[in-house]
Amino acid sequence: MHTLILATRNQGKIREIRSILLGLPLEIKSLLEFPHLPEIVEDGSTFEENALKKARNIFALTRSPTLSDDSGLEVFSLRERPGVLSARYAGEHVSYDANNKKLLAELKGFPVDQRRAQFRCVAAFVGDEIEKIVEGVCHGTIIDEPRGSGGFGYDPIFIPDGYQTTFAELPLHIKNHISHR
């Protein structure tokens, strides 16, 4: 069985990626199992730069095939903000709730047609003599207040197109089937 390193310590991402890859003949490990490895600073200006940087660095340190992702929420009427800064939109080391509150405050008074958004994910795989980047998007709308207890990040305020419920209200298997990741 091959080992795949997930270049993240984000428990929400780990849970989702493990669920997506369920059934593949892989031993999936995350950076939570490698506390001695350094935190990779996401200082790129794009999702692509950050995902590739994380995958390359962790592969170089472990010599194990590595999968990373950088993802975020892009609100069209806010010129794609929070975008690459999604995790730290309200500041460094803040809660998901603080990021959601900041975004909702910025969208206060916006009509529903100006609350269109997309989740975007860029995943990078790095192994011996291979680098592969793929991208996924999920379109939807930002609602006025959080709903649901599942998921993480902006999930409680994002309703994907074709649904009446937020990502945080959807069962994980449905979210994984339609999501950006």
Side-chain angles (χ1 to χ4, degrees):
M1 183 176 289
H2 296 284
T3 298
L4 175 68
I5 308 291
L6 301 181
T8 187
R9 289 183 173 88
N10 180 311
Q11 293 184 13
K13 283 186 182 184
I14 294 165
R15 183 177 58 253
E16 285 186 6
I17 294 169
R18 280 190 168 144
S19 176
I20 290 166
L21 299 177
L22 190 66
L24 294 178
L26 295 170
E27 178 184 11
I28 299 172
K29 294 184 176 186
S30 75
L31 293 184
L32 293 175
E33 298 168 73
F34 298 91
H36 64 283
L37 292 179
E39 192 73 34
I40 307 300
V41 177
E42 295 181 25
D43 55 1
S45 60
T46 66
F47 294 120
E48 295 85 355
E49 289 174 10
N50 288 333
L52 201 50
K53 178 181 180 183
K54 290 186 290 187
R56 284 177 175 162
N57 278 281
I58 298 304
F59 176 75
L61 293 167
T62 65
R63 300 310 299 170
S64 289
T66 302
L67 178 66
S68 71
D69 97 358
D70 195 29
S71 52
L73 182 67
E74 298 173 322
V75 180
F76 303 123
S77 63
L78 298 178
R79 290 177 274 158
E80 283 73 46
R81 285 192 336 261
V84 74
L85 298 176
S86 290
R88 51 197 175 279
Y89 195 49
E92 293 292 329
H93 310 293
V94 299
S95 67
Y96 295 138
D97 188 51
N99 286 328
N100 286 334
K101 283 180 180 176
K102 178 178 179 175
L103 181 62
L104 290 176
E106 289 183 351
L107 290 173
K108 188 174 176 117
F110 279 58
V112 71
D113 65 325
Q114 291 180 19
R115 291 172 160 265
R116 298 288 300 148
Q118 69 181 12
F119 269 116
R120 189 154 69 96
C121 173
V122 175
F125 175 82
V126 175
D128 283 323
E129 300 181 29
I130 185 171
E131 286 188 357
K132 179 81 173 164
I133 296 175
V134 295
E135 180 178 325
V137 296
C138 182
H139 294 95
T141 303
I142 304 300
I143 59 173
D144 290 326
E145 59 185 45
R147 292 192 336 226
S149 59
F152 64 100
Y154 297 96
D155 288 358
I157 61 172
F158 181 84
I159 295 181
D161 287 351
Y163 290 80
Q164 313 301 293
T165 56
T166 67
F167 265 174
E169 295 172 304
L170 288 172
L172 183 59
H173 72 279
I174 293 174
K175 179 188 175 193
N176 285 345
H177 183 71
I178 65 170
S179 86
H180 53 298
R181 195 163 283 117

